[in-house]
Amino acid sequence: AQSVAQPEDQVNVAEGNPLTVKCTYSVSGNPYLFWYVQYPNRGLQFLLKYITGDNLVKGSYGFEAEFNKSQTSFHLKKPSALVSDSALYFCAVRPDRGSTLGRLYFGRGTQLTVWP
Amino acid sequence: DTAVSQTPKYLVTQMGNDKSIKCEQNLGHDTMYWYKQDSKKFLKIMFSYNNKELIINETVPNRFSPKSPDKAHLNLHINSLELGDSAVYFCASSQEQGGQGTGELFFGEGSRLTVL
């Protein structure tokens, strides 16, 4: 069965400090991996994705994520957090490469709070 | 110019009623989706259409019926609404290109359905 785990419901960091939001996955084959962010009462916004190539991918708003195949992880990182980064972050995987299904499996989300 | 737009944004109705949510995308994508986000923020796919053809029907009750009149529209009709249908419903789209797409989804702002 395909699954995505975000082990922390909440992550709290001080502004200016580095942040990490964790994600591990269990899917067959070589998946596509994604991070999305959701602000209150808004839809999900795409942050970044890993398809192939360099394990460190860079995305919007200074975020980056590191793909680790052996640990089946795709942790989201940012060197210096901003208060405006406070939001709900979702990790997602697409196991069916090369098909038209386009199905994404989402983790349960991690609420990031950055305090001033 | 909103890329994926859904209406209405809020919907409050009584149990047993029938309601519809409309979705339109102006991104030229060939695949559209309905996702349900429950009160705990968990996201789960309901339906997926590729070029107006139903691709994914994820064990959703028959009371839910999607309709895609063309590639740019995907509507969701719900019959005999139940309390458990209360959730936020997100429409999304992606460009799959016959399996060559990279699968990032673009989401609408969501439609919050409250069944009393």
Side-chain angles (χ1 to χ4, degrees):
Chain A
Q2 326 288 0
S3 67
V4 180
Q6 294 181 240
E8 300 154 319
D9 290 337
Q10 290 195 353
V11 170
N12 299 313
V13 297
E15 188 171 34
N17 282 0
L19 69 87
T20 299
V21 182
K22 296 179 181 177
C23 172
T24 58
Y25 62 91
S26 175
V27 299
S28 55
N30 297 310
Y32 294 159
L33 299 161
F34 303 85
W35 276 101
Y36 284 84
V37 59
Q38 184 179 27
Y39 296 98
N41 299 314
R42 304 294 299 275
L44 277 73
Q45 295 179 30
F46 168 77
L47 271 181
L48 50 80
K49 66 183 176 187
Y50 173 82
I51 299 174
T52 187
D54 193 350
N55 290 343
L56 185 65
V57 294
K58 294 187 184 297
S60 307
Y61 312 119
F63 284 93
E64 56 190 29
E66 187 167 12
F67 170 64
N68 187 318
K69 188 171 183 178
S70 62
Q71 297 185 1
T72 61
S73 67
F74 190 55
H75 301 330
L76 181 70
K77 300 181 180 185
K78 187 173 183 180
S80 179
L82 298 172
V83 172
S84 57
D85 293 330
S86 299
L88 185 59
Y89 289 80
F90 289 96
C91 180
V93 299
R94 172 177 165 159
D96 47 0
R97 277 192 180 194
S99 84
T100 58
L101 292 181
R103 180 197 305 263
L104 286 186
Y105 291 87
F106 283 88
R108 288 197 161 271
T110 298
Q111 180 65 47
L112 172 68
T113 302
V114 182
W115 72 81
Chain B
D1 291 339
T2 305
V4 181
S5 59
Q6 353 178 173
T7 55
K9 191 174 174 64
Y10 298 98
L11 193 50
V12 181
T13 189
Q14 300 286 333
M15 260 195 321
N17 284 352
D18 303 339
K19 291 294 177 186
S20 292
I21 307 171
K22 296 186 176 181
C23 179
E24 176 181 3
Q25 55 96 3
N26 62 8
L27 297 167
H29 289 165
D30 58 11
T31 306
M32 296 184 72
Y33 311 80
W34 279 109
Y35 275 81
K36 179 180 180 180
Q37 187 174 45
D38 63 21
S39 58
K40 296 185 178 181
K41 304 296 186 181
F42 182 58
L43 279 157
K44 188 174 180 183
I45 192 168
M46 300 173 68
F47 301 104
S48 162
Y49 271 75
N50 177 260
N51 287 317
K52 301 195 300 176
E53 179 185 350
L54 180 64
I55 302 298
I56 297 172
N57 185 341
E58 192 73 359
T59 60
V60 177
N62 291 337
R63 300 181 295 103
F64 290 79
S65 54
K67 283 187 173 53
S68 181
D70 55 58
K71 282 197 318 182
H73 296 84
L74 180 61
N75 304 323
L76 183 65
H77 187 76
I78 315 171
N79 290 326
S80 304
L81 279 156
E82 300 177 357
L83 293 177
D85 297 332
S86 294
V88 181
Y89 293 86
F90 285 101
C91 178
S93 72
S94 68
Q95 182 60 21
E96 296 300 312
Q97 297 175 289
Q100 299 307 309
T102 55
E104 68 209 63
L105 270 58
F106 293 79
F107 284 82
E109 295 286 284
S111 297
R112 182 177 296 275
L113 172 64
T114 303
V115 182
L116 304 175

